[in-house]
Amino acid sequence: MNGLHVYQIKVHNKYTMEDFDEDLRTVLRRSGCKGDKIVFIMDESNVLDSGFLERMNTLLANGEVPGLFEGDEYITLCTQIKEGAQKAGLMLDSNEELYKWFTQQVMLNLHIVFTMNPAGTASRTSVPPLLPSSTGVC
């Protein structure tokens, strides 16, 4: 699909917010560190918790989800970002510079598609207030 890798979460009856966070980490690492161009397809039936929409809205607005990478995961991420930046010919030293470059790469390489069932009028009226960042990003 136009050189984009398609990523879609696989929701099951025991899928949790932690599973969703791990899927987000995977997509962000690929798009922010490796430079993969990704389309992340999120269907309304996959939204099992309002936290899913809150994270997606924050991601759309800022290119990141605060608190997603912490502790050892953050240190590992910074190492991966540095490798990606070096491949791009950049020499970034501080973690702040690295993370800023990472979020810029995410915003450049990650495209989010949110699909909705047109028959479900209840969900159509509830989603726009929860995803205000989606209106100008498409």
Side-chain angles (χ1 to χ4, degrees):
M1 180 157 79
N2 277 345
L4 296 171
H5 300 277
V6 176
Y7 191 93
Q8 190 167 8
I9 61 174
K10 294 172 181 50
V11 176
H12 48 80
N13 59 352
K14 295 188 183 201
Y15 192 83
T16 64
M17 184 65 73
E18 183 55 39
D19 295 322
F20 185 65
D21 285 348
E22 189 56 40
D23 282 327
L24 286 176
R25 285 184 200 100
T26 298
V27 168
L28 293 178
R29 279 188 202 104
R30 286 180 57 193
S31 62
C33 299
K34 296 180 180 178
D36 290 352
K37 298 197 179 304
I38 298 174
V39 61
F40 181 26
I41 300 174
M42 181 83 175
D43 186 71
E44 71 176 323
S45 65
N46 294 338
V47 178
L48 304 179
D49 184 286
S50 64
F52 288 22
L53 291 177
E54 291 167 8
R55 281 169 170 71
M56 295 303 287
N57 186 53
T58 303
L59 179 58
L60 285 168
N62 304 313
E64 68 169 324
V65 178
L68 195 61
F69 296 98
E70 294 182 331
D72 290 341
E73 285 182 344
Y74 181 74
I75 293 167
T76 302
L77 177 68
C78 285
T79 302
Q80 294 170 337
I81 297 169
K82 191 168 195 166
E83 291 169 2
Q86 287 173 341
K87 285 181 184 175
L90 301 172
M91 294 303 295
L92 306 174
D93 294 320
S94 73
N95 285 350
E96 292 79 23
E97 288 178 317
L98 289 167
Y99 198 75
K100 182 178 179 184
W101 183 78
F102 170 76
T103 58
Q104 290 170 344
Q105 293 304 298
V106 167
M107 293 176 86
L108 179 69
N109 295 320
L110 180 61
H111 306 275
I112 298 172
V113 175
F114 189 77
T115 59
M116 299 171 58
N117 181 356
T121 56
S123 61
R124 235 183 305 158
T125 57
S126 66
V127 171
L130 292 173
L131 286 173
S133 296
S134 65
T135 55
V137 179
C138 301

